[in-house]
Amino acid sequence: MAPRVSIQTADFDVAQEIAALRAGDRGVGAVCAFVGTVRDRSDGAAVSSMELEHYPGMTEKAIEAMIDEAHRRFDIHAARVIHRVGLLQPMDQIVLVAVTSAHRGESFQACEFLIDYLKTQAPFWKKEQTPQGARWVDARASDDTALARWGIGGSNT
């Protein structure tokens, strides 16, 4: 069985990851997946690259806890989160959140919950390269607003 959480420098194959998540579970009636990618612009500035850092061990543990919480909140079968670290270019895939369940509603909700939680609570640090130089990217107040609808407070407002 594939791990629930992977932090890696290598790219991922969405179809392969979804197939592994569904493998052998005949009760799966829905799969929801979110793929985040590097944009070429952020806050009005051109972005030539993004570098992501994390604390090995701590990051995986935090994301595992997020998946446990998704299982408590939603009737899901399985979830998988892959997050890339290192130097990434515009159009590169950064993150995959995939969820299986018997019905679509639970998959959609759990997937959205996980990405909202991931955006604000997971210990990642992002640095963008712009024409004005390097800058660290903070979580946005809008990310906290998205998280708040799940009854979880953020710290970026």
Side-chain angles (χ1 to χ4, degrees), residues 8-14 16-17 35-37 82-85 88 91-96:
Q8 61 194 48
T9 55
D11 198 6
F12 51 85
D13 180 313
V14 175
Q16 181 179 344
E17 294 299 333
V35 177
T37 60
I82 300 174
H83 207 298
R84 294 181 66 196
V85 293
L88 300 170
M91 297 180 66
D92 284 350
Q93 298 181 130
I94 302 171
V95 62
L96 168 67

Side-chain angles (χ1 to χ4, degrees), residues 12-66:
F12 51 85
D13 180 313
V14 175
Q16 181 179 344
E17 294 299 333
I18 289 173
L21 191 64
R22 305 178 51 204
D25 188 344
R26 292 176 180 228
V28 171
V31 178
C32 185
F34 171 85
V35 177
T37 60
V38 179
R39 294 182 301 270
D40 67 350
R41 301 196 67 74
S42 177
D43 292 331
V47 173
S48 59
S49 66
M50 176 185 284
E51 190 168 0
L52 289 102
E53 298 177 4
H54 77 297
Y55 282 131
M58 174 204 235
T59 305
E60 292 87 345
K61 186 176 179 179
I63 298 171
E64 285 284 353
M66 292 174 201

Side-chain angles (χ1 to χ4, degrees), residues 113-132:
F113 168 79
L114 285 168
I115 197 64
D116 287 346
Y117 204 63
L118 195 61
K119 287 279 292 179
T120 59
Q121 305 299 309
F124 288 102
W125 294 268
K126 300 175 187 179
K127 183 169 52 174
E128 296 174 336
Q129 291 294 333
T130 72
Q132 294 76 33

